[in-house]
């Protein structure tokens, strides 16, 4: 884990990102504004001395809070990286934990595709530096669906339902999403219904009537079914409420069209050359402006400057993210060795989070975060960290008699000064148990010091892998260790 952390940090710093420390506890409010249902439902939040606080469920909002509180006078763009534990109340399973470690970056103050390309390049670079191979980055854009939904006159609640269900549409299909939709909007009729639903005809009629005529019609209708409102104090209000209800636009046609659009667009994934022309046709057929596609095209061009191979990257217009603050390009990195929870990294552009959280100006930003435990699992699935640091050769020093102990301390300190990690036997165990212990712990060398050695200014040095033993002068233990290692390496 430390190797992963060091590698990521070195990569981030090579691109000019500076470290930022953030608190684990934040005000719950920070996440209620923009993060979306999925994350809010998983927060560990609590009341403490009349304040509503939580354990951070992610770090981007914290970075933005820190930016607003302390960094707004910094020249832009600002490049920051961070690392630490985050908490989400989920059902624990393989690669899905309630506490896990995120490491990520935020690039604040640049709206250009070049900035998105830089952070994608950076994520890619971190994976390469770790030596991972079986990964794939997928890039999408939340603007395609959200522009489409803006044109339709559907409730904001249904709009955010659709935005959240893009992934479900791609993975589980239209029938699954329709079923889910019916749970929150039972009036939904799917396109197989031939006749115009009755409610819609009534709605249309009442929308055309002027106010007085509509009120009379409602009153008339109520009288016909023996409900008499005259004289009732609340009559006006009751009629007004009934009218609002009847006139409320039926959401079905808009929803049908949205589901069709989502179904078509979510099928588009692959190389830019395959996806972009198809997407263009679909957007033209629905008369949607193509700014999101243009942004993607620019990003593709910028990524090509970095020479990243499309064998590891693809476009996926059905991609959606659990967090709701994204406004533009979004991306994820998936790994083949992770199973269900295949996402190693997630990120994207969020241009209105700073303003929503109370920043002075509208500041665009983009970034991503890795899940460290998942990186570790991915590395293991590929056979361990390639090019990781060699484990240091360790030594155990044991005094045979209590009187030999100061001499053992001296030898230990001498080896430590050479940078060798040394354990000292503080339990005064027998030679046999010290050797067993060293074997179990994988300690490479044991240094034994008894009265005879002490008297001669020597120690016994034993290499645990070959069982080879040597008597050497106390000042020369380090050199002797190096020599024995060299001999062993030569043999192997
Ligand atoms: P996220 O996709 O929610 O994005 O989380 C980032 C990464 O954290 C995921 O790709 C995954 O590797 C890891 N992760 C998420 N949940 C768990 C879990 N329960 N157990 C283990 N690992 C997990 C964010 O949090 C955004 N703040 C990323 C970002 C930065 N967007 C813009 N800037």
């Amino acid at each position: 884990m430390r190797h992963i952390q060091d590698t990521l940090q070195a990569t981030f710093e090579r691109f000019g990102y500076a470290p930022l420390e953030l608190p684990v506890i934040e005000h719950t409010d920070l996440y209620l504004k923009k993060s979306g249902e999925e994350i809010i439902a998983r927060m560990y939040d609590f009341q403490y001395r009349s304040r509503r606080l939580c354990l951070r469920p992610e770090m981007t909002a914290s970075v933005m809070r820190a930016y607003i509180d302390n960094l707004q006078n910094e020249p832009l763009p600002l490049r920051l990286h961070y690392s630490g534990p985050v908490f989400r109340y989920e059902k624990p399973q393989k690669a899905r934990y309630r506490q896990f470690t995120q490491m990520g970056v935020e690039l604040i103050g640049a709206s250009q595709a070049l900035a998105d390309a830089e952070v994608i390049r950076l994520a890619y670079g971190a994976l390469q530096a770790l030596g991972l191979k079986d990964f794939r980055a997928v890039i999408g854009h939340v603007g395609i669906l959200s522009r489409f939904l803006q044109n339709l006159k559907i409730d904001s609640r249904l709009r955010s339902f659709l935005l959240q269900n893009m992934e479900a549409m791609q993975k589980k299909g239209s029938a699954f999403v329709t079923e889910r939709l019916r749970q929150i909007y039972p009036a939904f009729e799917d396109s197989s219904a031939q006749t115009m639903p009755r409610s819609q005809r009534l709605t249309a009629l009442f929308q055309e009537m002027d106010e007085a005529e509509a009120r009379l019609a409602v009153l008339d209708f109520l009288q016909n079914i023996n409900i008499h409102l005259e004289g009732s104090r609340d009559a006006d209000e009751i009629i007004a409420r009934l009218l609002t209800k009847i006139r409320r636009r039926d959401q079905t046609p808009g929803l049908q069209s949205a589901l069709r659009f989502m179904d078509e667009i979510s099928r588009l994934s692959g190389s830019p050359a395959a996806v972009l022309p198809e997407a263009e046709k679909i957007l033209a057929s629905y008369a949607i402006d193509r700014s999101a596609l243009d942004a993607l095209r620019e990003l593709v061009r910028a990524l090509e400057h970095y020479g990243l191979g499309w064998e590891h990257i693809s476009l996926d217009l059905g991609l959606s993210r659990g967090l709701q603050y994204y406004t533009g390009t979004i991306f994820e990195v998936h790994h083949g060795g992770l199973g269900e929870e295949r996402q190693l990294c997630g990120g994207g552009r969020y241009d209105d989070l700073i303003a929503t959280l109370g920043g002075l100006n509208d500041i665009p930003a983009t970034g991503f975060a890795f899940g460290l435990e998942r990186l570790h699992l991915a590395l293991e699935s590929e056979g361990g960290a390639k090019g990781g640091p060699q484990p240091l050769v360790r030594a155990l020093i044991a005094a045979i008699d209590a009187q030999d102990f100061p001499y053992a301390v001296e030898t230990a300190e001498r080896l430590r000064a050479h940078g060798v990690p040394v354990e000292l036997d503080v339990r005064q165990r027998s030679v046999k148990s010290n050797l067993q212990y060293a074997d179990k712990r994988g300690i490479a060398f044991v240094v034994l010091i008894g009265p005879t050695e002490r008297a001669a200014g020597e120690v016994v040095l034993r290499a645990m892998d070959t069982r080879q033993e040597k008597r050497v002068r106390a000042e020369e233990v380090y050199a002797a260790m190096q020599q024995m290692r060299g001999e062993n390496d030569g043999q192997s």
Side-chain angles (χ1 to χ4, degrees):
M1 287 292 278
R2 178 105 48 92
H3 166 61
I4 297 173
Q5 220 150 356
D6 290 349
T7 309
L8 257 51
Q9 183 170 329
T11 313
F12 296 165
E13 294 190 350
R14 248 198 320 277
F15 279 73
Y17 287 74
L20 180 68
E21 292 291 327
L22 295 159
V24 168
I25 295 176
E26 290 278 7
H27 285 273
T28 305
D29 234 16
L30 185 60
Y31 305 94
L32 298 183
K33 289 188 185 137
K34 267 275 169 187
S35 302
E37 284 306 315
E38 203 170 300
I39 209 91
I40 292 171
R42 294 183 177 151
M43 285 204 304
Y44 285 86
D45 80 314
F46 49 92
Q47 200 79 20
Y48 182 73
R49 304 198 181 190
S50 78
R51 277 181 291 173
R52 197 167 163 202
L53 303 174
C54 70
L55 300 179
R56 60 184 176 200
E58 60 108 32
M59 295 174 83
T60 306
S62 299
V63 177
M64 295 309 122
R65 192 209 31 76
Y67 171 78
I68 292 166
D69 288 350
N70 306 308
L71 301 166
Q72 291 198 90
N73 295 326
E74 290 286 318
L76 294 176
L78 192 57
R79 291 177 166 89
L80 300 167
H81 76 83
Y82 50 83
S83 156
V86 297
F87 306 83
R88 294 183 191 173
Y89 188 72
E90 349 216 17
K91 191 160 169 269
Q93 50 193 288
K94 185 186 171 216
R96 180 179 284 271
Y97 314 112
R98 288 180 173 166
Q99 174 175 343
F100 55 100
T101 318
Q102 280 192 346
M103 219 169 153
V105 306
E106 310 297 342
L107 169 45
I108 304 170
S111 60
Q112 290 78 357
L114 280 181
D116 299 299
E118 173 174 305
V119 297
I120 293 173
R121 163 70 186 95
L122 188 47
Y124 195 102
L127 294 161
Q128 282 179 319
L130 287 171
L132 279 168
K133 301 225 158 32
D134 185 17
F135 67 86
R136 168 155 285 277
V138 284
I139 303 174
H141 199 295
V142 292
I144 296 176
L145 181 58
S146 68
R147 296 266 149 71
F148 177 85
L149 295 177
Q150 260 165 24
N151 293 346
L152 294 176
K153 295 195 173 77
I154 48 178
D155 288 357
S156 58
R157 185 176 65 113
L158 292 172
R159 202 174 328 142
S160 60
F161 167 85
L162 293 170
L163 283 167
Q164 278 166 33
N165 276 275
M166 189 65 166
E167 194 180 340
M169 175 65 88
Q170 191 181 43
K171 295 210 177 108
K172 308 210 164 139
S174 184
F176 177 84
V177 177
T178 306
E179 203 40 57
R180 263 193 181 173
L181 176 62
R182 281 224 180 79
Q183 285 165 17
I184 63 160
Y185 187 66
F188 179 72
E189 316 253 352
D190 67 30
S191 44
S192 54
Q194 289 297 315
T195 52
M196 198 185 189
R198 192 193 192 115
S199 62
Q200 224 172 308
R201 280 178 28 208
L202 202 60
T203 303
L205 269 175
F206 271 90
Q207 278 169 345
E208 281 160 21
M209 288 183 201
D210 71 25
E211 195 57 29
E213 197 185 3
R215 293 175 70 83
L216 267 178
V218 172
L219 212 58
D220 234 23
F221 172 74
L222 291 176
Q223 268 170 359
N224 277 338
I225 55 168
N226 260 338
I227 300 176
H228 298 280
L229 290 181
E230 300 96 329
S232 150
R233 261 188 306 139
D234 302 326
D236 278 350
E237 201 193 318
I238 293 171
I239 293 173
R241 263 203 250 145
L242 262 172
L243 268 176
T244 322
K245 269 205 177 144
I246 301 170
R247 282 173 169 160
R248 188 175 292 155
R249 193 176 294 275
D250 181 12
Q251 308 280 318
T252 296
L255 287 169
Q256 283 171 350
S257 159
L259 290 174
R260 244 190 337 269
F261 178 75
M262 284 165 70
D263 189 31
E264 284 178 47
I265 212 83
S266 69
R267 291 167 196 265
L268 295 183
S269 68
S271 71
V275 167
L276 291 172
E278 282 304 308
E280 196 133 343
K281 277 189 222 150
I282 295 177
L283 293 205
S285 74
Y286 284 89
I288 308 169
D289 91 89
R290 8 173 298 173
S291 50
L293 272 193
D294 291 342
L296 272 182
R297 193 164 285 134
E298 244 184 275
L299 172 66
V300 166
R301 220 171 295 136
L303 282 173
E304 277 163 2
H305 298 323
Y306 285 107
L308 302 185
W310 290 102
E311 69 276 11
H312 277 304
I313 310 181
S314 53
L315 294 186
D316 182 350
L317 301 192
L319 184 68
S320 62
R321 305 260 303 125
L323 289 152
Q324 295 299 296
Y325 48 60
Y326 297 106
T327 54
T329 299
I330 46 173
F331 72 97
E332 288 181 359
V333 180
H334 301 153
H335 190 274
L338 283 181
E340 273 289 289
E341 300 299 333
R342 61 200 175 122
Q343 193 193 315
L344 280 182
C345 173
R349 171 165 289 286
Y350 50 95
D351 284 348
D352 54 18
L353 187 55
I354 294 181
T356 311
L357 297 178
L360 294 178
N361 298 307
D362 254 350
I363 308 271
T366 180
F368 65 78
F370 277 107
L372 248 56
E373 291 78 4
R374 290 192 186 172
L375 280 173
H376 187 238
L377 288 170
L379 273 170
E380 268 184 353
S381 79
E382 291 193 17
K386 301 273 173 350
Q390 294 296 317
L392 288 169
V393 173
R394 293 185 294 149
L396 170 69
I397 317 269
I400 290 170
D401 281 347
Q403 296 92 305
D404 305 325
F405 197 70
Y407 195 56
V409 168
E410 200 182 300
T411 311
E413 294 286 287
R414 195 177 289 127
L415 278 177
R416 285 175 186 141
H418 280 290
V420 179
V422 172
E423 286 185 36
L424 198 61
D425 169 31
V426 287
R427 292 177 61 179
Q428 299 188 302
R429 285 181 296 196
S430 68
V431 170
K432 190 173 160 209
S433 19
N434 270 313
L435 293 178
Q436 278 171 349
Y437 173 81
D439 259 340
K440 282 189 193 143
R441 283 250 181 254
I443 294 175
F445 289 96
V446 173
V447 178
L448 297 166
I449 300 169
T452 340
E453 288 81 26
R454 177 161 46 98
E458 291 179 339
V459 302
V460 172
L461 176 63
R462 180 181 168 100
M464 294 305 291
D465 50 356
T466 58
R467 304 293 194 234
Q468 189 194 358
E469 265 187 21
K470 261 188 192 170
R471 277 174 79 105
V472 296
R473 296 210 52 78
E475 314 78 66
E476 287 160 12
V477 186
Y478 179 69
M481 271 172 59
Q482 299 296 91
Q483 195 197 353
M484 278 164 100
R485 286 195 72 203
E487 285 164 13
N488 293 347
D489 288 351
Q491 278 162 22
S492 63

